[in-house]
Amino acid sequence: MNTTKITEFSQILYKARKNSEEVGSLTKTYGEFPLSDAYKIQAAGIEMRLNDGEKIIGYKMGLTSKAKMEQMGLHKPIFGVLTDVMEVKNSSAFSLKKKIHPKAEPEIYFKTNKELKGTPNAQEALSACAEIGVALEILDSRFEGFRYFTLPDVVADNSSSAYFVLGDSVKTPTDLPLKDLTIDIRDGETVMFSATGAAVLGEPILSLCELVKLLDEQGKTLPAGSVVLAGAATQAIELKAGQKISATFEKVGKASFNVTG
Ligand code: OOG
Ligand code: MG
């Protein structure tokens, strides 16, 4: 794909995000394009947002669990960029105004205190973490209907990221067996979906390893101080006014927000 087309697609998605409007799938109008081009569109879109004053604070991994791969019909881990304006304070209200078709999903997050690069193993990745916590990601695809798109479309659209809530965390080193702990998403007291940490690539820290590997393929490293969402452990749920959404991660704690109209 030439640079003009990459810029054009990144502008379409940038405007859709700004105006909370749906747009058609890029691959439908253009035809298929490789993931490498999709990441270039994503990066060009982030560049525009940095020019608006947003600051990168980390990354989100996506499609790291079977539940999500099956819900979306897409089968390969991907990443997106998180900026400061996307953070919603824990336990606060989240308004549906100017959102397209938001969904929430329960995630584990890592906060690093050392740079990670190359292809770290689980032990190396873990030793670069200052804290491990529970988060809610609030997705909002810029594409019509949310679900009828291909992997390059999603990646170009910053992997459907919109907002995120960071909840309770534990400081590392910790000997918590992340893969055996239950994580769920609730509306009020009702558990909507639940899984164990193992739902995320068999062991959640492997999601951080995978991110660093994907960044390395693009000649990038993960800076110290990054927040990384590991990818949803369960399906996402559609947001409606009146919901009291929370995610609970056994022995770690809770993240929550209330949905308002
Ligand atoms: C793609 C992003 C997936 C996750 O946690 O698996 C994701 C999507 O569902 O639109 O964020
Ligand atoms: Mg997610």
Side-chain angles (χ1 to χ4, degrees):
M1 192 182 286
N2 64 35
T3 334
T4 316
K5 205 74 203 168
I6 286 171
T7 309
E8 188 191 313
F9 281 157
S10 62
Q11 277 166 345
I12 289 173
L13 290 167
Y14 171 86
K15 281 193 200 127
R17 175 176 176 273
K18 219 168 188 154
N19 304 330
S20 310
E21 277 165 10
E22 297 183 321
V23 293
S25 138
L26 305 181
T27 50
K28 224 183 237 167
T29 54
Y30 180 86
E32 283 183 29
F33 54 86
L35 262 191
S36 50
D37 283 342
Y39 277 110
K40 284 184 194 160
I41 299 169
Q42 180 190 113
I46 294 296
E47 208 50 49
M48 291 182 216
R49 290 167 51 182
L50 296 183
N51 286 335
D52 292 341
E54 295 184 39
K55 308 251 176 313
I56 295 177
I57 63 151
Y59 293 88
K60 60 159 281 178
M61 285 296 283
L63 308 176
T64 52
S65 68
K66 262 213 187 80
K68 278 294 298 189
M69 289 183 190
E70 277 163 17
Q71 184 178 29
M72 304 316 291
L74 300 170
H75 297 272
K76 193 174 173 331
I78 54 174
F79 72 81
V81 178
L82 302 178
T83 76
D84 55 344
V85 304
M86 297 163 69
E87 184 163 4
V88 172
K89 226 171 127 278
N90 193 18
S91 315
S92 66
F94 179 78
S95 165
L96 294 180
K97 284 200 187 83
K98 291 204 70 195
K99 311 298 181 306
I100 307 171
H101 33 213
K103 297 183 193 176
E105 52 190 23
E107 306 221 3
I108 296 162
Y109 81 85
F110 301 101
K111 181 149 189 211
T112 64
N113 58 2
K114 290 191 195 87
E115 184 189 39
L116 277 165
K117 55 182 166 192
T119 52
N121 62 31
Q123 198 44 51
E124 289 161 343
L126 203 53
S127 67
C129 289
E131 65 188 77
I132 298 172
V134 57
L136 281 158
E137 182 175 22
I138 304 172
L139 297 167
D140 202 1
S141 169
R142 270 54 63 171
F143 293 120
E144 284 160 7
F146 207 129
R147 54 191 309 152
Y148 303 109
F149 47 63
T150 67
L151 205 53
D153 282 307
V154 186
V155 167
D157 186 30
N158 201 23
S159 298
S160 309
S161 62
Y163 299 93
F164 61 93
V165 178
L166 301 182
D168 298 326
S169 64
V170 292
K171 297 261 176 280
T172 58
T174 168
D175 53 9
L176 287 181
L178 299 181
K179 71 176 175 43
D180 300 325
L181 304 179
T182 301
I183 179 165
D184 63 31
I185 182 161
R186 302 178 194 201
D187 178 7
E189 293 304 308
T190 311
V191 175
M192 308 298 285
F193 296 108
S194 143
T196 60
V200 179
L201 296 176
E203 162 58 63
I205 194 72
L206 294 179
S207 180
L208 181 56
C209 299
E210 181 69 22
L211 170 67
V212 178
K213 193 185 105 197
L214 291 174
L215 289 173
D216 184 62
E217 285 167 10
Q218 299 186 13
K220 295 178 183 156
T221 67
L222 182 72
S226 298
V227 170
V228 175
L229 300 181
T234 77
Q235 291 181 51
I237 58 177
E238 284 175 28
L239 294 185
K240 298 193 181 70
Q243 288 169 327
K244 291 187 189 321
I245 302 291
S246 64
T248 302
F249 191 23
E250 197 183 346
K251 297 197 162 67
V252 174
K254 185 174 154 178
S256 68
F257 64 89
N258 295 337
V259 189
T260 61

